[in-house]
Amino acid sequence: MSKVIIACDFANRQKTLAFLKDFAGTNPYIKIGMELFYGEGPTIVKELKNSGFRIFLDLKLHDIPNTVRKAMTNCAKLGVDMVNLHAAGGIEMMKAAKEGLNTVPGNKTLLIAVTMLTSLSDEVVNEELLIKENVKNTAIHYAKNAKLAGLDGVVCSPLEARSIHQNCGADFLTITPGIRLASNSKDDQVRVTTPGLANELGSDFIVVGRSITASENPRESYLKITEAFTNGK
Ligand code: C5P
């Protein structure tokens, strides 16, 4: 099964369904983020899940432990395959999230922590947020916290995947955005990696948006990226 997650960054249900129509028979893993979720609500998640898609619900929770616990119970009830939160919320919050998922009998939702947003520079992290370490070291430290809290993995840059596996174990999942084919534009991503390099660096799943959604033939691009990621080319 493909480990390429398509970021469905669309404004509404109609655009999302129109896009996904092309993917019949490929059973992709799709990411529903804040844009689509806040526009359409949980109904779109249930609808796409019932249509057979594997779903990463990317809502990046960050609140007090009690609130996150209860919100995660509701995410688990939607039957999604993967959810996430910000590791910056702390170990207690991450443990509470796991407890929240586990209150739903038979729940198998993977719980993933965002380490550092790839939009943050060392300068912003040091001078604006007053974090003493650089982005990479902070991401590795947050990944260790996520591991301690019992999470399944982290969202990180492919360039950090190897160090995170070394620190947190080979089974600890690395979900990596910032992927581009060599021929694509970087758009607003700063550090980009090809699917093949992401495989070599140890990414377990890649999240791909515009290289698929904005391509002339999204289905073909998805299959090409899956092939390149699977075979490390
Ligand atoms: O279009 P593109 O491939 O850049 O989309 C990447 C997707 O991954 C977007 O949905 C973006 O929100 C998400 N993401 C990211 N960097 C992070 C976390 C999530 O690009 N650190």
Side-chain angles (χ1 to χ4, degrees), residues 7 9 31 58 60 116-118 155 177-180 189 207-210:
D9 294 324
K31 181 170 89 68
D58 176 22
K60 300 187 179 71
M116 295 297 281
L117 292 171
T118 42
V155 179
I179 305 295
R180 292 290 180 275
Q189 297 281 14
V207 176
V208 185
R210 285 159 291 184

Short mmCIF file of all heavy atoms in Angstrom, two decimals, residues 7 9 31 58 60 116-118 155 177-180 189 207-210, ligand 1:
data_model
loop_
_atom_site.label_atom_id
_atom_site.label_comp_id
_atom_site.label_asym_id
_atom_site.label_seq_id
_atom_site.Cartn_x
_atom_site.Cartn_y
_atom_site.Cartn_z
N ALA A 7 -1.96 15.57 0.38
CA ALA A 7 -2.52 16.68 1.17
C ALA A 7 -3.68 17.29 0.38
O ALA A 7 -3.48 17.97 -0.62
CB ALA A 7 -1.45 17.73 1.42
N ASP A 9 -5.54 19.90 0.28
CA ASP A 9 -5.69 21.28 0.73
C ASP A 9 -6.68 22.00 -0.20
O ASP A 9 -6.28 22.82 -1.03
CB ASP A 9 -4.32 21.98 0.73
CG ASP A 9 -3.40 21.38 1.78
OD1 ASP A 9 -3.89 21.01 2.86
OD2 ASP A 9 -2.18 21.29 1.53
N LYS A 31 -4.72 13.43 3.37
CA LYS A 31 -4.62 14.29 4.55
C LYS A 31 -5.70 15.35 4.48
O LYS A 31 -5.80 16.09 3.50
CB LYS A 31 -3.24 14.94 4.60
CG LYS A 31 -3.04 15.84 5.81
CD LYS A 31 -1.59 16.27 5.94
CE LYS A 31 -1.25 17.53 5.20
NZ LYS A 31 -1.87 18.76 5.72
N ASP A 58 -5.27 16.14 10.00
CA ASP A 58 -4.15 17.03 10.38
C ASP A 58 -4.69 18.30 11.02
O ASP A 58 -4.78 19.34 10.37
CB ASP A 58 -3.35 17.33 9.09
CG ASP A 58 -2.21 18.31 9.29
OD1 ASP A 58 -1.74 18.46 10.43
OD2 ASP A 58 -1.79 18.92 8.28
N LYS A 60 -3.52 19.34 14.21
CA LYS A 60 -2.43 19.90 15.05
C LYS A 60 -2.95 20.47 16.38
O LYS A 60 -2.81 21.67 16.65
CB LYS A 60 -1.66 20.98 14.29
CG LYS A 60 -1.00 20.50 13.00
CD LYS A 60 -0.12 21.58 12.41
CE LYS A 60 0.57 21.15 11.13
NZ LYS A 60 -0.32 21.01 9.98
N MET A 116 8.80 20.70 14.90
CA MET A 116 8.88 22.14 14.63
C MET A 116 8.27 22.39 13.26
O MET A 116 8.55 21.65 12.31
CB MET A 116 10.35 22.59 14.60
CG MET A 116 11.05 22.45 15.91
SD MET A 116 10.30 23.49 17.18
CE MET A 116 10.97 25.08 16.79
N LEU A 117 7.46 23.42 13.13
CA LEU A 117 6.90 23.75 11.81
C LEU A 117 8.05 24.07 10.86
O LEU A 117 9.00 24.77 11.25
CB LEU A 117 5.96 24.95 11.93
CG LEU A 117 4.67 24.72 12.71
CD1 LEU A 117 3.95 26.04 12.92
CD2 LEU A 117 3.76 23.73 12.00
N THR A 118 7.95 23.58 9.64
CA THR A 118 9.04 23.83 8.69
C THR A 118 9.06 25.29 8.21
O THR A 118 9.97 25.71 7.53
CB THR A 118 8.94 22.88 7.47
OG1 THR A 118 7.58 22.79 7.07
CG2 THR A 118 9.44 21.50 7.80
N VAL A 155 5.82 14.36 12.77
CA VAL A 155 5.95 15.05 11.49
C VAL A 155 7.27 15.81 11.56
O VAL A 155 7.53 16.51 12.55
CB VAL A 155 4.81 16.08 11.26
CG1 VAL A 155 5.01 16.80 9.94
CG2 VAL A 155 3.46 15.40 11.30
N PRO A 177 6.66 16.13 5.17
CA PRO A 177 6.26 17.00 4.06
C PRO A 177 7.48 17.65 3.41
O PRO A 177 8.62 17.26 3.71
CB PRO A 177 5.37 18.04 4.72
CG PRO A 177 5.75 18.06 6.15
CD PRO A 177 6.51 16.79 6.47
N GLY A 178 7.26 18.62 2.53
CA GLY A 178 8.38 19.30 1.87
C GLY A 178 8.96 18.46 0.75
O GLY A 178 10.17 18.41 0.54
N ILE A 179 8.09 17.77 0.01
CA ILE A 179 8.54 16.86 -1.06
C ILE A 179 8.26 17.49 -2.43
O ILE A 179 7.18 18.00 -2.67
CB ILE A 179 7.78 15.51 -0.96
CG1 ILE A 179 7.93 14.88 0.43
CG2 ILE A 179 8.21 14.56 -2.08
CD1 ILE A 179 9.33 14.46 0.81
N ARG A 180 9.24 17.43 -3.29
CA ARG A 180 9.08 17.92 -4.66
C ARG A 180 9.81 16.99 -5.61
O ARG A 180 10.89 16.48 -5.28
CB ARG A 180 9.69 19.32 -4.82
CG ARG A 180 8.97 20.43 -4.08
CD ARG A 180 7.60 20.74 -4.70
NE ARG A 180 6.90 21.79 -4.00
CZ ARG A 180 6.13 21.63 -2.92
NH1 ARG A 180 5.97 20.44 -2.39
NH2 ARG A 180 5.52 22.66 -2.37
N GLN A 189 7.92 26.24 0.20
CA GLN A 189 8.73 25.36 1.06
C GLN A 189 10.18 25.78 0.93
O GLN A 189 10.65 26.12 -0.15
CB GLN A 189 8.57 23.90 0.63
CG GLN A 189 7.15 23.35 0.78
CD GLN A 189 6.80 22.96 2.21
OE1 GLN A 189 7.50 23.33 3.16
NE2 GLN A 189 5.69 22.26 2.38
N VAL A 207 4.27 13.33 2.82
CA VAL A 207 3.05 14.10 2.59
C VAL A 207 3.29 14.98 1.37
O VAL A 207 4.24 15.77 1.36
CB VAL A 207 2.73 15.00 3.80
CG1 VAL A 207 1.50 15.86 3.51
CG2 VAL A 207 2.50 14.16 5.05
N VAL A 208 2.47 14.80 0.35
CA VAL A 208 2.67 15.56 -0.88
C VAL A 208 1.40 16.31 -1.25
O VAL A 208 0.32 15.70 -1.35
CB VAL A 208 3.06 14.61 -2.05
CG1 VAL A 208 3.38 15.42 -3.30
CG2 VAL A 208 4.25 13.74 -1.67
N GLY A 209 1.53 17.62 -1.41
CA GLY A 209 0.39 18.43 -1.81
C GLY A 209 0.49 18.83 -3.26
O GLY A 209 0.13 18.07 -4.17
N ARG A 210 1.03 20.02 -3.49
CA ARG A 210 0.98 20.62 -4.82
C ARG A 210 1.63 19.83 -5.93
O ARG A 210 1.22 19.94 -7.09
CB ARG A 210 1.52 22.05 -4.75
CG ARG A 210 0.53 22.99 -4.09
CD ARG A 210 1.17 24.23 -3.56
NE ARG A 210 2.02 23.96 -2.41
CZ ARG A 210 2.63 24.91 -1.71
NH1 ARG A 210 2.51 26.17 -2.07
NH2 ARG A 210 3.36 24.59 -0.66
O1 C5P B 1 1.92 21.50 -1.36
P1 C5P B 1 2.90 20.91 -0.40
O2 C5P B 1 3.47 19.57 -0.85
O3 C5P B 1 3.99 21.88 0.02
O4 C5P B 1 2.01 20.61 0.90
C1 C5P B 1 2.57 20.12 2.09
C2 C5P B 1 1.48 19.80 3.08
O5 C5P B 1 2.12 19.42 4.30
C3 C5P B 1 0.57 20.98 3.43
O6 C5P B 1 -0.73 20.44 3.71
C4 C5P B 1 1.18 21.56 4.69
O7 C5P B 1 0.22 22.16 5.52
C5 C5P B 1 1.74 20.29 5.35
N1 C5P B 1 2.86 20.55 6.27
C6 C5P B 1 4.06 21.12 5.88
N2 C5P B 1 5.06 21.33 6.80
C7 C5P B 1 4.89 20.97 8.09
C8 C5P B 1 3.68 20.39 8.51
C9 C5P B 1 2.69 20.19 7.55
O8 C5P B 1 4.24 21.42 4.71
N3 C5P B 1 5.88 21.12 8.94
#
